Amino acid sequence: MLCSVNRTPISDLTDGQQVEQSFRASDKQLRVNRQGGKYIILKLTDRTGTVSGMLWNADEIIFDSFDRGDYVHCVGRTQIHNGALQMIVTAVERMDPSEVDVADFERFDADQSQRLLARLSELLGDLHNVHLRRLGQAFLCDDSFMQKLELGAAAVSIHHAYPGGLLRHTVDMMELCALVGPRYPQLDTELLMFGAFLHDLGKLEELSGEGESTYTDRGQLVGHIVIGIQMLGDKIRELGSAGEPFPSDLRLQLEHLVVSHHGQLEFGSPKLPVTLEAVTLHHIDNLDAKIESFTNIIESDISADGNWTNYNPSIGRKLWNKRD
């Protein structure tokens, strides 16, 4: 019998609820407290959302009994912590995939993905700059790349952290660039749009594409910005091999858009934005990510005051939560 019977979706869990059901363990960390006791922090997910889990008095045997991405059966009780629901887990056991209804955990929207892929193809195909259009076509014709892009997440957490999230983030940013660019004649709108396409492509190799996103070894050692520059270089070399040399000055502009899009050195950018397009790209990226992440905070908050979320230490404030 599938364990999805009488299963409560994460979005419907409430404070003080006794829980005995399946989840996907998208992440786990074994930690030690000041007294030397060990505990496990869990990230439990289903198709409706994510809830943090705390398993006290744990050990390596429990920690090693399941892997990230496994389905697990958890026993515990929910409570509110810093305005968000979490679960105090008293037991966790790995489940075989045959024991769950995969539809309860599948967060990928295939129909939306196809619409976004069609829109991406349209945006890249409509570029007037022949070099950018050919470069875009080189990416679009790479079946392996496109399959990864269709399923890739934009992050492990915070924003667009779900299968297809990177595609959503990329297309939204390109459309924002197409709206903002013409407002400022000093901007090269097509260069800006292509920077939006390129800026996070390295996350396809930085993050694991299987199940819930985690960092790959390459992602940990190199990072998506460097990987993105390598991916750009590979495609430009392909064009050169096909007899379509790419302008070196345009390549420099694209590389700068990728390496500077985090905006600040302390946020991981090897270089600060020094072109108008790079400055614009950073702020559009930040805008799209912030709206997504703040929306997630509002939707996941359980507050006694319906007009406000609880204080969220990660952003240093409460958020207005009135939905009229």
Side-chain angles (χ1 to χ4, degrees):
M1 180 180 295
L2 295 177
C3 291
S4 57
V5 176
N6 297 324
R7 186 182 181 280
T8 303
I10 288 175
S11 60
D12 292 342
L13 292 175
T14 57
D15 182 31
Q17 183 174 344
Q18 185 67 30
V19 178
E20 296 186 27
Q21 65 181 41
S22 58
F23 296 92
R24 173 172 273 163
S26 62
D27 197 14
K28 61 173 185 172
Q29 298 177 37
L30 181 63
R31 296 193 178 179
V32 180
N33 60 29
R34 293 179 180 178
Q35 291 73 41
K38 297 177 181 179
Y39 62 99
I40 298 174
I41 299 176
L42 295 166
K43 180 182 176 185
L44 303 172
T45 63
D46 66 11
R47 68 181 303 275
T48 71
T50 302
V51 63
S52 296
M54 299 292 294
L55 177 59
W56 304 108
N57 302 317
D59 56 28
E60 287 82 357
I61 295 176
I62 298 175
F63 184 78
D64 293 336
S65 66
F66 62 95
D67 295 321
R68 293 177 178 86
D70 280 350
Y71 299 109
V72 293
H73 184 266
C74 291
V75 178
R77 192 173 187 83
T78 59
Q79 67 176 31
I80 295 176
H81 178 68
N82 286 334
L85 201 68
Q86 71 170 16
M87 181 175 167
I88 303 302
V89 180
T90 55
V92 58
E93 182 178 358
R94 182 185 179 277
M95 300 176 66
D96 188 272
S98 63
E99 298 180 275
V100 304
D101 185 346
V102 177
D104 288 338
F105 302 93
E106 181 58 71
R107 303 178 70 184
F108 176 67
D109 187 331
D111 291 338
Q112 183 185 80
S113 176
Q114 290 304 306
R115 291 192 295 270
L116 289 171
L117 287 173
R119 180 57 177 154
L120 176 65
S121 180
E122 181 182 19
L123 289 167
L124 291 174
D126 287 345
L127 296 174
H128 292 93
N129 185 307
V130 64
H131 301 292
L132 293 178
R133 190 169 67 249
R134 287 173 178 168
L135 182 57
Q137 192 64 30
F139 280 101
L140 292 172
C141 290
D142 186 335
D143 291 339
S144 176
F145 165 81
M146 294 302 292
Q147 289 172 6
K148 291 179 181 179
L149 181 59
E150 183 179 6
L151 295 171
V156 170
S157 59
I158 308 301
H159 75 93
H160 299 91
Y162 52 87
L166 178 59
L167 179 60
R168 169 87 274 172
H169 180 48
T170 299
V171 171
D172 283 350
M173 279 188 59
M174 291 182 72
E175 291 188 327
L176 285 170
C177 290
L179 289 171
V180 171
R183 298 276 181 173
Y184 302 93
Q186 62 269 43
L187 292 176
D188 183 332
T189 299
E190 292 196 347
L191 177 63
L192 179 63
M193 290 175 61
F194 211 92
F197 168 66
L198 291 174
H199 82 289
D200 268 351
L201 292 186
K203 290 185 176 181
L204 296 177
E205 301 294 335
E206 180 183 49
L207 304 177
S208 169
E210 300 180 2
E212 294 295 325
S213 294
T214 58
Y215 286 99
T216 63
D217 291 341
R218 189 182 182 198
Q220 294 277 24
L221 292 169
V222 180
H224 75 277
I225 289 179
V226 174
I227 295 171
I229 292 295
Q230 294 171 341
M231 293 172 68
L232 172 61
D234 290 343
K235 279 291 174 282
I236 289 176
R237 278 190 293 275
E238 288 179 17
L239 291 176
S241 299
E244 300 176 353
F246 197 84
S248 58
D249 57 339
L250 182 56
R251 176 175 180 168
L252 283 175
Q253 292 294 317
L254 292 175
E255 288 175 336
H256 180 66
L257 287 167
V258 175
V259 301
S260 66
H261 75 268
H262 281 186
Q264 298 182 47
L265 302 180
E266 58 267 35
F267 292 163
S269 278
K271 289 291 184 179
L272 294 174
V274 296
T275 67
L276 292 178
E277 289 80 14
V279 172
T280 307
L281 180 66
H282 162 61
H283 286 289
I284 288 176
D285 183 26
N286 193 44
L287 171 66
D288 192 56
K290 283 293 190 294
I291 290 178
E292 174 78 6
S293 62
F294 279 39
T295 299
N296 289 341
I297 290 172
I298 291 171
E299 291 180 346
S300 64
D301 184 85
I302 298 177
S303 174
D305 184 350
N307 291 343
W308 294 93
T309 69
N310 281 276
Y311 177 83
N312 189 295
S314 67
I315 60 173
R317 73 198 82 169
K318 297 180 177 182
L319 292 175
W320 179 252
N321 189 27
K322 191 171 184 180
R323 302 297 181 90
D324 288 337

